[in-house]
């Protein structure tokens, strides 16, 4: 029986429609975690527009204020090592809820803090909550999704992008009233996320991520897989540039809270759009490793441009917004690669990778602040760009250990 051109075209259109709808046809539990992720990541962007205001009102230096990111990332890096052990005992839902409660408590306490050092300490507690939430949320979405690893990660990255893009706008608005506003705003949002998970995520359903009990040494065992170790170290190097941009750029833009909010809104929108729509196409056309290296090289160059024209406000603003596109693509590509890198549980792979990744995020902010105080405002961007380029060289040198990732993804 021969097919008419119309019937072939109709079948092709239906197949395309089914492919697009599969991303949106998820269980209720996936959407519950997705919603909570948006709110959790709004917390990161909420604080960004008020960094200069905190420095001024708490009489703190730039390097002291960047410690808000350092303590957050350092605690998160170490706490990532225990997330698998906790989630395999408490279950996914209660681990996520515990993380949300911890974030709410420490962000609320931060809103009532009166000194930079107490604020730095409380941000560390916030990092503990975020570690429990972030590692478990990624593993939960991947495991509970019915559309495969790649599409599940796109959903996760979309939630991050939406949260990061809306957060600065809300943070700028609340921060214009008081620097305490965004901290209290995060606490209020966490209450909403808590209610959302309690109502929408069923407890009766057995989640794959909570079935096998893991131990403290499992993430270290996972790093024996060279592929996972390579991606983790590359992410630590690249995150040096990422958090230099995030924690230090607000100090050189010369904008108020509203202005910073709009700049990082643009950054977050591009991050969200590219992570969902562009990254999968790049991966399909050029492969994960090549696409990742291209994005990182462009990001490194962009940081060098920021280091060269640091005193030109328009250049810094354009570069920060443009960085969102490069980071959105790279985040999706590297997260997808990590999930397929080694034959270990996804929650364990996520914990091991995140441990290394956030070490870079912990060192970079304080280093950037100190370099600007000791030398000049341009050097942090130059150093950050250098670390990003080193991450590319590291990936290329170790390409034989990670090339299998493209084979795994093409078979899905």
């Amino acid at each position: 029986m021969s097919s008419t051109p119309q019937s072939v075209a109709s079948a092709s259109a239906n197949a395309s429609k089914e492919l697009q709808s599969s991303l949106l046809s998820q269980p209720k539990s996936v959407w519950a975690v997705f919603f909570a992720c948006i709110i959790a990541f709004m917390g990161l962007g909420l604080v960004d527009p008020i960094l200069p205001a905190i420095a001024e009102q708490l009489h703190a230096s730039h390097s002291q204020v960047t410690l808000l990111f350092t303590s957050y990332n350092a605690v998160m890096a170490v706490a990532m090592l225990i997330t698998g052990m906790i989630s395999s005992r408490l279950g996914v839902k209660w681990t996520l809820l515990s993380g949300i409660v911890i974030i709410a408590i420490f962000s609320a306490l931060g809103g009532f803090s009166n000194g930079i050092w107490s604020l730095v300490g409380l941000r560390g507690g916030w990092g503990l909550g975020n570690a429990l939430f972030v590692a478990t949320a990624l593993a939960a979405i991947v495991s509970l999704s019915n559309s495969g690893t790649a599409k599940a990660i796109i959903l996760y990255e979309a939630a991050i992008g939406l949260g990061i893009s809306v957060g600065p706008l809300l943070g700028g608005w609340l921060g214009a009233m008081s620097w305490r506003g965004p901290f209290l705003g995060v606490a209020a949002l966490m209450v909403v996320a808590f209610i959302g998970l309690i109502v929408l995520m069923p407890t009766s359903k057995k989640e794959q991520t909570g079935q096998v009990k893991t131990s403290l040494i499992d993430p270290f065992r996972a790093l024996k897989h060279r592929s996972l170790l390579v991606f983790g170290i590359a992410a630590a190097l690249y995150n040096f540039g990422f958090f230099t941009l995030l924690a230090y750029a607000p100090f050189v833009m010369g904008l108020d809270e509203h202005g910073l909010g709009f700049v990082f809104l643009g950054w977050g929108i591009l991050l969200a759009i590219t992570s969902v729509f562009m990254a999968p196409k790049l991966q399909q056309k050029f492969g994960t490793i090549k696409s990742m290296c291209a994005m990182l090289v462009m990001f490194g160059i962009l940081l060098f441009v920021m280091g060269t024209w640091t005193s030109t406000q328009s250049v810094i603003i354009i570069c920060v917004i443009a960085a969102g596109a490069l980071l959105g693509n790279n985040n999706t590509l590297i997260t997808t690669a990590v999930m397929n890198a080694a034959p270990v549980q996804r929650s364990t792979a996520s914990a091991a990778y995140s441990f290394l990744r956030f070490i870079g995020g912990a060192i970079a902010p304080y280093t950037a602040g100190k370099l600007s105080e000791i030398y000049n405002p341009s050097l942090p961007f130059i150093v950050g760009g250098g670390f990003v380029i080193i991450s590319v060289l590291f990936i290329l040198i170790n390409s034989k250990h990670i090339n299998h990732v493209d084979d795994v993804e093409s078979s899905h």
Side-chain angles (χ1 to χ4, degrees):
M1 188 176 181
S2 62
S3 298
T4 64
Q6 288 88 348
S7 66
V8 171
S10 175
S12 176
N14 288 338
S16 176
K17 205 175 285 182
E18 278 175 35
L19 194 66
Q20 289 170 0
S21 66
S22 66
L23 183 65
L24 302 176
S25 304
Q26 303 290 348
K28 194 190 293 182
S29 52
V30 170
W31 291 117
V33 180
F34 177 83
F35 170 72
C37 277
I38 292 174
I39 294 176
F41 280 96
M42 280 177 77
L44 184 66
L46 269 172
V47 178
D48 223 44
I50 56 165
L51 294 177
I54 291 173
E56 186 183 339
Q57 291 174 38
L58 293 184
H59 309 291
S61 67
H62 290 178
S63 60
Q64 287 173 332
V65 174
T66 57
L67 281 171
L68 292 173
F69 280 94
T70 293
S71 63
Y72 174 82
N73 284 324
V75 172
M76 192 147 64
V78 175
M80 283 292 175
L81 297 172
I82 62 169
T83 55
M85 185 187 74
I86 292 171
S87 67
S88 66
R89 284 158 178 78
L90 288 182
V92 171
K93 181 173 181 178
W94 294 108
T95 306
L96 291 171
L97 291 173
S98 301
I100 286 171
V101 168
I102 293 169
I103 294 169
I105 291 170
F106 280 98
S107 59
L109 290 172
F112 294 107
S113 175
N114 290 310
I116 187 64
W117 296 113
S118 60
L119 200 56
V120 167
L122 291 167
R123 272 284 280 182
W126 187 340
L128 171 63
N130 226 51
L132 288 171
F133 183 87
V134 171
T136 313
L138 173 57
I141 286 181
V142 170
S143 297
L144 296 169
S145 171
N146 56 15
S147 58
T149 301
K151 285 193 176 71
I153 288 169
I154 290 168
L155 265 184
Y156 175 75
E157 294 295 340
I160 292 175
L162 285 168
I164 286 177
S165 60
V166 176
L169 199 62
L170 187 58
W173 178 66
L174 293 171
M177 300 181 213
S178 166
W179 69 263
R180 300 177 191 276
F183 284 90
L184 299 174
V186 168
L189 286 169
M190 286 298 118
V191 173
V192 177
F194 184 89
I195 294 168
L197 271 184
I198 283 280
V199 173
L200 294 171
M201 195 170 183
T203 48
S204 58
K205 184 172 181 176
K206 279 190 177 182
E207 293 126 347
Q208 295 172 27
T209 47
Q211 285 179 342
V212 180
K213 288 189 177 179
T214 59
S215 71
L216 275 171
I217 59 170
D218 281 351
F220 293 106
R221 280 185 185 142
L223 289 174
K224 287 181 181 177
H225 294 281
R226 189 67 178 267
S227 53
L228 199 56
L229 184 63
V230 169
F231 284 126
I233 293 172
L237 293 166
Y238 134 71
N239 258 15
F240 202 99
F242 179 95
F243 278 95
T244 294
L245 181 92
L246 202 62
Y248 177 68
F251 293 111
V252 299
M253 273 192 265
L255 297 171
D256 63 8
E257 291 86 352
H258 286 301
L260 288 171
F262 279 113
V263 169
F264 280 98
L265 169 68
W267 175 81
I269 287 171
L270 281 183
L271 189 144
I273 290 170
T274 53
S275 64
V276 176
F277 298 107
M278 191 173 171
K281 287 184 172 148
L282 287 173
Q283 188 270 324
Q284 198 174 17
K285 188 166 185 181
F286 304 107
T288 304
I289 309 303
K290 284 181 184 175
S291 301
M292 197 188 305
C293 288
M295 292 300 114
L296 289 174
V297 167
M298 285 191 275
F299 180 46
I301 291 169
L302 189 140
L303 287 170
F304 291 144
V305 170
M306 292 174 76
T308 306
W309 287 280
T310 309
S311 56
T312 309
Q313 186 187 52
S314 57
V315 171
I316 299 297
I317 291 170
I318 291 167
C319 285
V320 167
I321 294 171
L326 305 176
L327 297 170
N329 279 318
N330 190 65
N331 285 351
T332 296
L333 290 165
I334 198 165
T335 307
T336 308
V338 166
M339 291 292 103
N340 295 316
V344 295
Q345 264 192 293
R346 286 184 175 125
S347 56
T348 304
S350 177
Y353 159 74
S354 297
F355 166 65
L356 292 174
R357 173 189 180 192
F358 286 112
I359 287 174
I363 299 167
Y366 183 69
T367 304
K370 271 295 173 193
L371 287 172
S372 71
E373 288 167 10
I374 297 169
Y375 298 102
N376 58 66
S378 301
L379 194 58
F381 295 120
I382 302 291
V383 171
F387 272 95
V388 174
I389 298 300
I390 291 169
S391 75
V392 178
L393 296 174
F394 184 76
I395 289 169
L396 294 175
I397 290 166
N398 290 278
S399 60
K400 66 178 180 182
H401 300 292
I402 56 176
N403 280 338
H404 69 279
V405 166
D406 282 318
D407 299 327
V408 172
E409 283 163 15
S410 63
S411 66
H412 282 182

